[in-house]
Amino acid sequence: MEWETVIGLEIHTQLATKSKIFSGASTAYGAEPNTQACAVDLGLPGVLPVLNEEAVHKAVIFGMAIEAEIAPYSVFARKNYFYPDLPKGYQISQMELPIVGNGHLDIEVDGIMKRIGITRAHLEEDAGKSLHEDFHGLTGIDLNRAGTPLLEIVSEPDMRSAKEAVAYMKKLHELVRYLDICDGNMQEGSFRCDANVSVRPKGQKKYGTRAEIKNINSFKFVEKAINHEIERQIELIENGGRVIQETRLYDSVKDETRSMRSKEEANDYRYFPDPDLLPVLISEDYKTVVKAQLPELPQAKKHRFKDQYALDEENAAILTYSCQMADYFERVLKESGCEAKLCVNWITGELSAALNKAGLEIMDSPVGSERLAGLLARIRDNTISGKIAKQVFEEMWQSTATADEIIAAKGLKQITDTGAIEAIIDKIIADNPGQVEQYRSGKDKVFAFFVGQVMKEMQGKANPAEVNKMLKVKLNQ
Amino acid sequence: MHTKTLIELAQGLRSGEFSSVELTQIFLNRIKQHQHLNAYITVTEEAALQNAKAADVRLANGKAELLTGIPIAQKDIFCTLDVKTTCGSKMLDNFTAPYNATIVEKFNQAGAVMLGKLNMDEFAMGSSNETSYYGVVKNPWNTHTVPGGSSGGSAAAVAARLAVCATGTDTGGSIRQPAALCGITGLKPTYGRVSRYGMIAYASSLDQGGPMTHSAEDAAILLQTMAGFDEKDSTSVDCPVPDYRAGLNNSLAGLKIGLPKEFFGNGLSSNMAATLETAINEYRKLGAEIKEISMPNLKLAIPAYYVIAPAECSANLSRFDGVRYGYRCENPVDLTDLYTRSRGEGFGKEVKRRILMGTYALSAGYYDAYYIKAQKIRRLISEDFKNALAKVDVIMGPVTPTTAFGIGEKIGNPIEMYLSDIYTIAINLAGVPAMSIPAGFVAGMPVGLQIIGNYFAEDSLLNIAYQYQQVTDWHQHTPKGFE
């Protein structure tokens, strides 16, 4: 039988606010355990939550970017369950009236565009962390993360393969970073995914029973976990079994999912509106202001780059992968006065390679857009060759000097004095009569040997175009 | 000196007739002398004398406010920095908050001297103070009877002159009912008028702190300090706080008083009804017009309340899990054991009953039938009040069906106990302000008159109560043995 996979994703994005969603404590990652948890985060008796306006702002920005309905009236609810790292015994979340309603995101897989529906996105607080190691059989609890604002983004079951799911997740990841509402750091858990997976015979309308795979924290694992789950379900059904609705955990070490709890064992969360918080009212005026402040979105930016700078799909995609990358490119382009092609080659080539090697993001690049533009400008005006430029770039990576400073200090300025080049060419021709003979008898390949010899003699500082031109004249004499 | 009003004491402190230290010592001595009432859970003698000393300096410097140097006491539901806050529960017997409740902070700023923390029903759940882990409080008018609850310690302490005044909290009548049973003045402000920050939550959408005093004037002074927007409490309302004493002398001529016929039906004893009739006659003499009104949904208040309040409390009390603070069972074998035994051993019977009721009402499959239905009734009741208060200026009625009942009389029958709040609960559901003032005695036990006003009309309630207290002296009676 032919099977069809149905996938929906729930993605928790940590909103990049300075303080927590209901308290003034800092959200910075990596502090000593329990040093960033105030009385409200600890759930002490008598404390009350106060909503962080910035979290609402960021949720509205997101809603606008996916062209969603923004609820004029949304309500926080208590989700009740006991767990040691959940201090109040309930999580403040949104249930019936989330802040962001129906929206969508377009993805592209194998050159085909597809629209993925987003059912809703709601605000909630994160829980703390239970630490099971290093406590000699006891459990440690770190409440630094408790109260960190999350936007849970729930998709429609619109994806039909693990590949589509990953494309959607990447697209969303790119978007939240573009919007500057989430740092996107997956290792630190700023962007986490739960996947709902089911299979059904191709052509069947009714959905199969789904399993939810919890907390998958990388694009690679999402793909593997989903594919594994699809296989498990198909095998189960084909062997006469039945998929049960349950929560499963993906084990990346063993590359398998295993059951956490079934629907029967599932908690009854007893949601009800939180009486400590007022409903959130969003006015049309507020939406208008937020809309006006929205940055250019990735899709639009990519199209513009393709048109405006005559870039191919691949380069346009790389340069618009993040807002910072796109801005960097546009700054280099403007400041250097170079052609787009040269800038693209340098950014996607030398710079990207160096960043990758150092494990840095574009915003942390030791060579800022201004210095790179300075370097490319010297290529443009023939002060140095591309080859020398790479040498200068390496120096720049290690220092704070400008390209001009390095070129001057190291004497790398290109020789454009035709007299000097001519003298060298004459010498090389005189020293290599055999190769001259070969060239003149029609072996064109030998030409490269002459170029190499001249450049070597001139320590790479000769203008290659000039060398080519003059060599041709001399050899053909 | 202990029978003087707040204003008289404030004047005495200013004129140098006595110092705050002397005054505080008198009350500390009285607390010791009348320990058998069990009104206090914690007495902060040392801190009180220290603060009294500081208040005397402030008085000498002429920088005193009205409350500077006045000995007051806090219901043990308000968190106090460095002083144990138990909420009347074994669960918090070992708990000291690292912060002050907003109103405690405000009293400290005003220079009031805190004598200690007052007994109460466990987590404010009860109408007789019998659910307290620290034992029942005795009614100073008859020590075989209850003081009411949940602010039973506050009412008994003020009635017995073990504090000049006190704070209370009211979720379904917990200020007004004990005030009535102990013959003092109690005010439950409009929901949102007084900050709930640092006040341990029972039912968040109903809880409201307020003053418990001898007179309407004293209540006005306390409310002046307690009221106001607090950025730490999103449900506190940002609207101006009037000068509550400024309007006390306004004339009541032409005042329209509504008497809901539902308040004067079968449940009310004839003696009580006669006493209230006399009180209402006083208002007639003061120039008020009396009208009978009807509020048909009042009868639904108790069932709606006993869904909403337990539902909220079932979540509010989840934080008491033995993990971070409070009572923890001995040698838990695993997490479930830690939870079940800590909560099972730390909470009393009534608290457990309400957590169970609330959990049930919120459960899948029951939510719509109970919680949603109760919220709809709540809206109907609010409408009743809005409609009534469009026709009359205030509503009057009884606070309780009877005077104080005997200790042990109702504790075995929760339904009967719940019915003792039949006249007070609807007010919390609507969120309007209401007062209880002493209006006479039946068989030597105090009777309270309830005055219910419109949202944020505390000033008018205080004016109406004050005018009555100018022509009657019920509020000046002191129980025997406490003169």
Short mmCIF file of all heavy atoms in Angstrom, two decimals, chain B residues 151-195:
data_model
loop_
_atom_site.label_atom_id
_atom_site.label_comp_id
_atom_site.label_asym_id
_atom_site.label_seq_id
_atom_site.Cartn_x
_atom_site.Cartn_y
_atom_site.Cartn_z
N SER B 151 -11.46 36.25 59.05
CA SER B 151 -10.64 37.22 59.79
C SER B 151 -11.07 37.25 61.26
O SER B 151 -11.29 38.31 61.84
CB SER B 151 -10.75 38.62 59.18
OG SER B 151 -10.55 38.57 57.79
N GLY B 152 -11.19 36.07 61.87
CA GLY B 152 -11.67 35.96 63.24
C GLY B 152 -10.71 36.57 64.25
O GLY B 152 -11.13 37.23 65.21
N GLY B 153 -9.42 36.36 64.04
CA GLY B 153 -8.43 36.92 64.95
C GLY B 153 -8.47 38.44 64.91
O GLY B 153 -8.37 39.11 65.95
N SER B 154 -8.64 39.00 63.71
CA SER B 154 -8.67 40.46 63.56
C SER B 154 -9.88 41.03 64.31
O SER B 154 -9.75 42.01 65.06
CB SER B 154 -8.79 40.85 62.08
OG SER B 154 -7.77 40.23 61.32
N ALA B 155 -11.05 40.41 64.11
CA ALA B 155 -12.28 40.91 64.73
C ALA B 155 -12.19 40.81 66.25
O ALA B 155 -12.52 41.76 66.97
CB ALA B 155 -13.48 40.14 64.20
N ALA B 156 -11.73 39.65 66.75
CA ALA B 156 -11.64 39.46 68.19
C ALA B 156 -10.62 40.43 68.80
O ALA B 156 -10.87 41.01 69.86
CB ALA B 156 -11.25 38.02 68.50
N ALA B 157 -9.49 40.63 68.13
CA ALA B 157 -8.44 41.50 68.67
C ALA B 157 -8.94 42.95 68.78
O ALA B 157 -8.68 43.63 69.78
CB ALA B 157 -7.19 41.44 67.80
N VAL B 158 -9.66 43.40 67.77
CA VAL B 158 -10.15 44.78 67.81
C VAL B 158 -11.26 44.91 68.87
O VAL B 158 -11.24 45.83 69.69
CB VAL B 158 -10.64 45.25 66.41
CG1 VAL B 158 -11.27 46.64 66.48
CG2 VAL B 158 -9.46 45.27 65.43
N ALA B 159 -12.19 43.93 68.88
CA ALA B 159 -13.29 43.98 69.83
C ALA B 159 -12.77 43.95 71.27
O ALA B 159 -13.28 44.67 72.14
CB ALA B 159 -14.24 42.81 69.59
N ALA B 160 -11.73 43.14 71.52
CA ALA B 160 -11.19 43.00 72.89
C ALA B 160 -10.13 44.05 73.21
O ALA B 160 -9.51 44.01 74.26
CB ALA B 160 -10.61 41.60 73.06
N ARG B 161 -9.93 44.97 72.27
CA ARG B 161 -8.93 46.03 72.47
C ARG B 161 -7.52 45.45 72.63
O ARG B 161 -6.77 45.86 73.51
CB ARG B 161 -9.26 46.87 73.70
CG ARG B 161 -10.22 48.04 73.62
CD ARG B 161 -11.40 47.93 72.82
NE ARG B 161 -12.16 49.20 72.81
CZ ARG B 161 -13.41 49.30 72.39
NH1 ARG B 161 -14.05 48.25 71.96
NH2 ARG B 161 -14.01 50.47 72.37
N LEU B 162 -7.20 44.47 71.78
CA LEU B 162 -5.84 43.93 71.77
C LEU B 162 -5.03 44.54 70.62
O LEU B 162 -3.89 44.15 70.37
CB LEU B 162 -5.85 42.40 71.64
CG LEU B 162 -6.73 41.63 72.64
CD1 LEU B 162 -6.53 40.13 72.49
CD2 LEU B 162 -6.48 42.06 74.09
N ALA B 163 -5.66 45.45 69.93
CA ALA B 163 -5.01 46.27 68.90
C ALA B 163 -5.97 47.44 68.67
O ALA B 163 -7.18 47.28 68.88
CB ALA B 163 -4.80 45.50 67.61
N VAL B 164 -5.43 48.57 68.25
CA VAL B 164 -6.32 49.71 67.99
C VAL B 164 -7.20 49.39 66.78
O VAL B 164 -8.39 49.70 66.77
CB VAL B 164 -5.50 50.98 67.74
CG1 VAL B 164 -6.40 52.15 67.36
CG2 VAL B 164 -4.67 51.31 68.97
N CYS B 165 -6.58 48.74 65.80
CA CYS B 165 -7.30 48.39 64.58
C CYS B 165 -6.52 47.26 63.91
O CYS B 165 -5.39 46.97 64.30
CB CYS B 165 -7.42 49.60 63.66
SG CYS B 165 -5.85 50.41 63.35
N ALA B 166 -7.13 46.68 62.90
CA ALA B 166 -6.47 45.54 62.25
C ALA B 166 -6.84 45.51 60.78
O ALA B 166 -7.76 46.19 60.33
CB ALA B 166 -6.88 44.24 62.94
N THR B 167 -6.09 44.65 60.07
CA THR B 167 -6.45 44.41 58.67
C THR B 167 -7.17 43.07 58.59
O THR B 167 -6.98 42.21 59.45
CB THR B 167 -5.21 44.33 57.77
OG1 THR B 167 -4.34 43.32 58.30
CG2 THR B 167 -4.48 45.66 57.74
N GLY B 168 -7.96 42.92 57.57
CA GLY B 168 -8.62 41.65 57.30
C GLY B 168 -8.66 41.45 55.80
O GLY B 168 -8.24 42.32 55.03
N THR B 169 -9.13 40.29 55.38
CA THR B 169 -9.36 40.07 53.96
C THR B 169 -10.72 39.41 53.82
O THR B 169 -11.18 38.74 54.75
CB THR B 169 -8.30 39.16 53.31
OG1 THR B 169 -8.37 37.86 53.92
CG2 THR B 169 -6.92 39.73 53.46
N ASP B 170 -11.33 39.65 52.67
CA ASP B 170 -12.72 39.25 52.49
C ASP B 170 -12.89 38.64 51.10
O ASP B 170 -12.72 39.32 50.09
CB ASP B 170 -13.59 40.51 52.66
CG ASP B 170 -15.08 40.21 52.75
OD1 ASP B 170 -15.55 39.35 51.99
OD2 ASP B 170 -15.76 40.86 53.58
N THR B 171 -13.19 37.34 51.06
CA THR B 171 -13.39 36.64 49.79
C THR B 171 -14.87 36.31 49.59
O THR B 171 -15.35 36.30 48.47
CB THR B 171 -12.54 35.34 49.78
OG1 THR B 171 -11.19 35.70 50.06
CG2 THR B 171 -12.62 34.62 48.45
N GLY B 172 -15.55 36.06 50.73
CA GLY B 172 -16.99 35.80 50.65
C GLY B 172 -17.72 36.37 51.85
O GLY B 172 -18.88 36.05 52.10
N GLY B 173 -17.00 37.19 52.62
CA GLY B 173 -17.59 37.78 53.83
C GLY B 173 -16.61 37.81 54.99
O GLY B 173 -16.96 38.17 56.12
N SER B 174 -15.37 37.45 54.73
CA SER B 174 -14.39 37.24 55.79
C SER B 174 -13.97 38.48 56.58
O SER B 174 -13.32 38.36 57.61
CB SER B 174 -13.14 36.57 55.21
OG SER B 174 -13.37 35.21 54.99
N ILE B 175 -14.34 39.67 56.12
CA ILE B 175 -14.17 40.86 56.96
C ILE B 175 -15.50 41.16 57.65
O ILE B 175 -15.58 41.36 58.87
CB ILE B 175 -13.73 42.10 56.14
CG1 ILE B 175 -12.26 41.98 55.71
CG2 ILE B 175 -13.96 43.39 56.92
CD1 ILE B 175 -11.75 43.08 54.81
N ARG B 176 -16.58 41.17 56.87
CA ARG B 176 -17.88 41.65 57.36
C ARG B 176 -18.51 40.70 58.38
O ARG B 176 -19.05 41.15 59.39
CB ARG B 176 -18.82 41.87 56.17
CG ARG B 176 -18.40 43.05 55.29
CD ARG B 176 -19.01 42.93 53.91
NE ARG B 176 -18.39 41.87 53.14
CZ ARG B 176 -18.96 41.21 52.16
NH1 ARG B 176 -20.20 41.49 51.81
NH2 ARG B 176 -18.32 40.27 51.50
N GLN B 177 -18.43 39.40 58.11
CA GLN B 177 -19.09 38.45 59.01
C GLN B 177 -18.44 38.46 60.40
O GLN B 177 -19.13 38.63 61.40
CB GLN B 177 -19.11 37.07 58.36
CG GLN B 177 -19.91 36.01 59.11
CD GLN B 177 -18.98 35.00 59.79
OE1 GLN B 177 -17.80 35.29 59.99
NE2 GLN B 177 -19.51 33.83 60.15
N PRO B 178 -17.11 38.34 60.53
CA PRO B 178 -16.52 38.42 61.87
C PRO B 178 -16.70 39.82 62.51
O PRO B 178 -16.86 39.92 63.72
CB PRO B 178 -15.05 38.10 61.66
CG PRO B 178 -14.82 38.11 60.20
CD PRO B 178 -16.12 37.95 59.52
N ALA B 179 -16.69 40.87 61.68
CA ALA B 179 -16.92 42.22 62.23
C ALA B 179 -18.30 42.25 62.87
O ALA B 179 -18.48 42.77 63.98
CB ALA B 179 -16.81 43.27 61.13
N ALA B 180 -19.30 41.68 62.20
CA ALA B 180 -20.66 41.67 62.72
C ALA B 180 -20.74 40.84 64.01
O ALA B 180 -21.31 41.29 65.00
CB ALA B 180 -21.61 41.10 61.68
N LEU B 181 -20.12 39.65 63.98
CA LEU B 181 -20.22 38.77 65.14
C LEU B 181 -19.45 39.30 66.35
O LEU B 181 -19.74 38.93 67.49
CB LEU B 181 -19.74 37.35 64.79
CG LEU B 181 -20.48 36.61 63.66
CD1 LEU B 181 -20.07 35.15 63.60
CD2 LEU B 181 -22.01 36.72 63.81
N CYS B 182 -18.46 40.16 66.12
CA CYS B 182 -17.69 40.71 67.23
C CYS B 182 -18.02 42.17 67.51
O CYS B 182 -17.37 42.82 68.35
CB CYS B 182 -16.19 40.57 66.96
SG CYS B 182 -15.62 38.87 66.99
N GLY B 183 -19.00 42.72 66.81
CA GLY B 183 -19.44 44.07 67.10
C GLY B 183 -18.46 45.17 66.74
O GLY B 183 -18.32 46.16 67.46
N ILE B 184 -17.77 45.02 65.61
CA ILE B 184 -16.88 46.09 65.17
C ILE B 184 -17.25 46.53 63.75
O ILE B 184 -18.18 45.99 63.14
CB ILE B 184 -15.38 45.67 65.24
CG1 ILE B 184 -15.09 44.53 64.26
CG2 ILE B 184 -15.00 45.28 66.67
CD1 ILE B 184 -13.62 44.37 63.93
N THR B 185 -16.50 47.51 63.24
CA THR B 185 -16.75 48.04 61.91
C THR B 185 -15.77 47.38 60.93
O THR B 185 -14.57 47.37 61.20
CB THR B 185 -16.53 49.57 61.92
OG1 THR B 185 -17.43 50.13 62.88
CG2 THR B 185 -16.78 50.18 60.56
N GLY B 186 -16.29 46.85 59.82
CA GLY B 186 -15.41 46.23 58.83
C GLY B 186 -15.79 46.69 57.44
O GLY B 186 -16.97 46.86 57.15
N LEU B 187 -14.80 46.92 56.62
CA LEU B 187 -15.07 47.38 55.24
C LEU B 187 -14.36 46.48 54.24
O LEU B 187 -13.14 46.30 54.30
CB LEU B 187 -14.58 48.83 55.09
CG LEU B 187 -14.51 49.40 53.66
CD1 LEU B 187 -15.88 49.41 52.99
CD2 LEU B 187 -13.95 50.81 53.67
N LYS B 188 -15.16 45.92 53.34
CA LYS B 188 -14.58 45.22 52.18
C LYS B 188 -14.63 46.19 51.01
O LYS B 188 -15.70 46.53 50.54
CB LYS B 188 -15.37 43.97 51.81
CG LYS B 188 -14.71 43.24 50.62
CD LYS B 188 -15.66 42.44 49.75
CE LYS B 188 -16.27 43.22 48.62
NZ LYS B 188 -15.41 43.40 47.43
N PRO B 189 -13.48 46.67 50.55
CA PRO B 189 -13.46 47.64 49.45
C PRO B 189 -13.85 46.99 48.12
O PRO B 189 -13.95 45.77 48.01
CB PRO B 189 -12.01 48.10 49.42
CG PRO B 189 -11.41 47.67 50.72
CD PRO B 189 -12.14 46.43 51.11
N THR B 190 -14.05 47.83 47.12
CA THR B 190 -14.28 47.38 45.75
C THR B 190 -13.11 46.50 45.33
O THR B 190 -11.95 46.80 45.65
CB THR B 190 -14.30 48.60 44.80
OG1 THR B 190 -15.19 49.57 45.32
CG2 THR B 190 -14.70 48.21 43.39
N TYR B 191 -13.40 45.42 44.59
CA TYR B 191 -12.32 44.58 44.09
C TYR B 191 -11.38 45.45 43.24
O TYR B 191 -11.83 46.16 42.33
CB TYR B 191 -12.88 43.43 43.24
CG TYR B 191 -11.79 42.51 42.75
CD1 TYR B 191 -11.23 41.56 43.59
CD2 TYR B 191 -11.28 42.63 41.46
CE1 TYR B 191 -10.21 40.74 43.17
CE2 TYR B 191 -10.25 41.81 41.02
CZ TYR B 191 -9.72 40.86 41.89
OH TYR B 191 -8.68 40.06 41.46
N GLY B 192 -10.10 45.45 43.58
CA GLY B 192 -9.14 46.26 42.82
C GLY B 192 -8.76 47.56 43.52
O GLY B 192 -7.85 48.25 43.08
N ARG B 193 -9.45 47.87 44.62
CA ARG B 193 -9.16 49.13 45.33
C ARG B 193 -7.88 49.02 46.16
O ARG B 193 -7.10 49.96 46.28
CB ARG B 193 -10.37 49.50 46.22
CG ARG B 193 -10.25 50.75 47.06
CD ARG B 193 -10.43 52.05 46.31
NE ARG B 193 -9.33 52.37 45.42
CZ ARG B 193 -9.22 53.49 44.72
NH1 ARG B 193 -10.18 54.39 44.78
NH2 ARG B 193 -8.21 53.71 43.94
N VAL B 194 -7.67 47.81 46.75
CA VAL B 194 -6.51 47.59 47.61
C VAL B 194 -5.63 46.50 46.97
O VAL B 194 -6.14 45.48 46.50
CB VAL B 194 -6.97 47.15 49.02
CG1 VAL B 194 -5.79 46.70 49.88
CG2 VAL B 194 -7.73 48.28 49.72
N SER B 195 -4.34 46.74 46.94
CA SER B 195 -3.41 45.79 46.31
C SER B 195 -3.46 44.42 46.97
O SER B 195 -3.51 44.31 48.20
CB SER B 195 -1.98 46.33 46.39
OG SER B 195 -1.06 45.31 46.03
#
